[in-house]
């Protein structure tokens, strides 16, 4: 029997881009309306590389949380070739900082300051493994000669496997996985290795990006893959396996930087994220698995308490606005101008 009401423990978003400055007035309320906590990515310009910067950024985020919402940003540091072990010790000692983000240099938006060679950060990774501080991995190689659709698989083979055999106890989240290879890899690792899955990689494949015209608002990194990978991700997400949990990678860019000859990567899903995950889980006959994926597995992995409050989704079609103001530009959300099945009840 299908129900028109869905109640679940308030979810958390374990991978989110909020940006900074005026943009926070748009992004923070969109996430805080539905999620209790979110892991905030550090790829600002310049990147967040110290605990002091992370705590200052956290305050700027908190100042944009609407009074009716309770929302806790969980901060991350951006791993560079020169991040010190000392800073790792500081991060580990502060509850508000929960992880370190690893971008291979040049892999994506604001990844210029990322790691140029993984061996340069071995001392830092060793310390993280000792302290149990998770490493959040953007898993794509950056070699121009590697086809963009193969970059995640190559990363598994040439970087990740070696990294985990060197540091087998390192807590590692393979972020926004996009391929069956990544699903298989994670399934074969011990409990210290987990993965986030975005809603856009569950809903869409590369036809949505490229067939019948180029759609810049479907362009993200890692890029959407073929439908067999999309199906493998869905199977993992709805499986109930605690290694897989919700991370939207909601990544807003102003319209003028998306609809241009060299558009930025990122899909802005926050305004309908939990609603769209519900749509995906329902389409796989697995609404009963949504709560684990959205509200339990991530908290358990990070060793944080599960949320105690609830949200309610109602089957009550609504239309996503065509755009939202975004600093001095606008941002085009996922499903802009189109209908969405599930609606979040106001708290
Ligand atoms: O599509 C993406 N956008 N992928 C990333 O890895 C970064 C993100 C961003 O910050 O815009
Ligand atoms: Zn991201």
């Amino acid at each position: 029997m299908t129900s028109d009401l869905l109640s679940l423990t308030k979810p958390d978003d374990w991978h989110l881009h909020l940006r900074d400055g005026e943009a926070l007035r748009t992004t923070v309320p969109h996430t805080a309306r539905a999620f209790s906590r979110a892991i905030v990515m550090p790829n600002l310009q310049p990147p967040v590389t110290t605990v002091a910067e992370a705590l200052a950024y956290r305050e700027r985020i908190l100042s944009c949380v609407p009074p009716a919402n309770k929302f806790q940003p969980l901060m991350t540091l951006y791993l560079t070739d020169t991040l010190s072990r000392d800073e790792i010790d500081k991060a580990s000692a502060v509850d508000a900082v929960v992880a370190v983000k690893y971008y291979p240099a040049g892999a994506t938006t604001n990844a210029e300051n990322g790691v140029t060679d993984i061996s340069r950060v071995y001392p830092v990774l060793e310390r993280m493994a000792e302290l149990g501080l998770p490493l959040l991995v953007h898993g794509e190689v950056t070699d121009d000669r590697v086809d963009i659709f193969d970059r995640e698989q190559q990363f598994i083979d040439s970087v990740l496997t070696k990294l985990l055999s060197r540091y087998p106890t390192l807590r590692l989240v393979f972020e926004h996985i996009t391929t069956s290879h990544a699903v298989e890899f994670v399934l074969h690792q011990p409990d210290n290795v987990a993965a986030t899955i975005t809603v856009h990689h569950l809903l869409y494949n590369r036809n949505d990006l490229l067939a019948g015209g180029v759609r810049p608002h479907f362009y993200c990194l890692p890029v959407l893959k073929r439908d067999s990978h999309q199906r493998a991700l869905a199977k993992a997400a709805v499986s109930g396996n605690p290694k897989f949990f919700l991370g939207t990678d909601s990544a807003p860019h102003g319209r003028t930087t998306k609809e241009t000859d060299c558009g930025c990567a990122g899909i802005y899903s926050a305004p309908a994220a939990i609603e769209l995950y519900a749509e995906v889980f329902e389409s796989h006959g697995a609404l009963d698995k949504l709560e684990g994926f959205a509200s339990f597995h991530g908290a358990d992995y990070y060793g944080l308490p599960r949320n105690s409050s609830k949200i309610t989704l109602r089957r009550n079609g609504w239309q996503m606005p065509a755009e939202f103001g975004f600093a001095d530009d606008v941002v085009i959300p996922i499903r802009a101008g189109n209908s969405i099945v599930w609606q979040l009840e106001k708290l």
Side-chain angles (χ1 to χ4, degrees):
M1 203 189 76
T2 61
S3 167
D4 291 341
L5 271 187
L6 179 62
S7 165
L8 69 158
T9 300
K10 202 168 181 195
D12 302 303
D13 184 349
W14 301 100
H15 184 129
L16 176 67
H17 299 266
L18 289 172
R19 313 307 186 203
D20 204 355
E22 284 294 304
L24 294 176
R25 293 180 197 275
T26 304
T27 58
V28 175
H30 279 152
T31 290
R33 82 200 162 88
F35 293 96
S36 180
R37 298 169 287 202
I39 290 196
V40 181
M41 291 298 130
N43 62 332
L44 303 181
Q45 266 175 327
V48 178
T49 54
T50 66
V51 170
E53 285 162 7
L55 295 180
Y57 181 29
R58 180 172 176 274
E59 291 304 319
R60 299 196 292 280
I61 293 166
L62 286 173
S63 74
C64 293
V65 177
N69 298 135
K70 274 200 172 136
F71 175 69
Q72 214 187 322
L74 305 172
M75 309 311 292
T76 55
L77 296 188
Y78 184 115
L79 185 56
T80 64
D81 286 351
T82 55
L83 190 76
S84 68
R85 281 167 66 104
D86 200 38
E87 206 61 38
I88 295 296
D89 287 2
K90 280 191 207 155
S92 170
V94 171
D95 284 347
V97 179
V98 298
V100 174
K101 179 68 191 279
Y102 161 39
Y103 292 103
T108 187
T109 307
N110 300 346
E112 304 78 22
N113 301 296
V115 175
T116 59
D117 183 339
I118 189 81
S119 62
R120 299 206 169 160
V121 294
Y122 281 163
V124 160
L125 298 181
E126 182 184 72
R127 190 69 185 135
M128 288 176 62
E130 281 165 18
L131 294 168
L133 189 66
L135 183 72
L136 313 185
V137 176
H138 183 111
E140 289 191 287
V141 294
T142 54
D143 185 339
D144 286 343
R145 292 163 298 186
V146 178
D147 188 278
I148 190 164
F149 292 102
D150 297 334
R151 289 182 182 188
E152 184 174 277
Q153 184 183 3
Q154 278 268 335
F155 184 86
I156 295 169
D157 297 341
S158 61
V159 183
L160 207 45
T161 308
K162 282 183 212 149
L163 181 63
L164 283 165
S165 61
R166 192 176 174 102
Y167 303 107
T169 62
L170 181 66
R171 299 181 63 217
L172 186 149
V173 185
F174 196 169
E175 298 290 337
H176 44 56
I177 57 170
T178 64
T179 59
S180 58
H181 315 290
V183 170
E184 284 307 309
F185 178 81
V186 172
L187 283 174
H188 286 95
Q189 300 301 312
D191 290 349
N192 53 308
V193 178
T196 54
I197 305 180
T198 78
V199 77
H200 46 273
H201 289 101
L202 292 169
L203 282 170
Y204 303 116
N205 62 57
R206 64 197 196 183
N207 277 6
D208 297 290
L209 172 68
L210 295 169
V214 178
R215 293 185 185 77
H217 298 289
F218 282 115
Y219 176 59
C220 62
L221 287 171
V223 71
L224 295 170
K225 306 297 192 300
R226 63 166 64 245
D227 66 340
S228 54
H229 294 298
Q230 182 190 5
R231 283 196 298 274
L233 296 176
K235 193 172 163 203
V238 307
S239 68
N241 187 322
K243 283 177 157 301
F244 301 104
F245 45 83
L246 186 158
T248 63
D249 198 19
S250 176
H253 291 275
R255 178 180 194 150
T256 51
T257 63
K258 290 285 288 177
E259 299 178 11
T260 179
D261 62 343
C262 184
C264 293
I267 295 180
Y268 188 45
S269 60
I274 192 62
E275 296 88 336
L276 290 174
Y277 278 108
E279 197 173 306
V280 170
F281 276 62
E282 182 167 42
S283 73
H284 291 273
L287 269 181
D288 60 320
K289 295 291 197 300
L290 179 62
E291 188 176 46
F293 178 81
S295 316
F296 297 159
H297 301 168
D300 295 351
Y301 179 83
Y302 280 96
L304 294 169
R306 293 179 178 183
N307 296 316
S308 51
S309 57
K310 300 260 181 193
I311 60 162
T312 304
L313 296 171
R314 184 181 291 277
R315 191 189 306 280
N316 183 28
W318 58 285
Q319 195 178 332
M320 175 63 84
E323 61 186 38
F324 294 101
F326 184 68
D328 53 4
D329 200 342
V330 294
V331 58
I332 311 295
I334 196 167
R335 289 274 172 90
N338 287 310
S339 65
I340 297 186
V341 177
W342 291 96
Q343 186 168 44
L344 181 70
E345 300 259 283
K346 286 249 161 22
L347 299 175

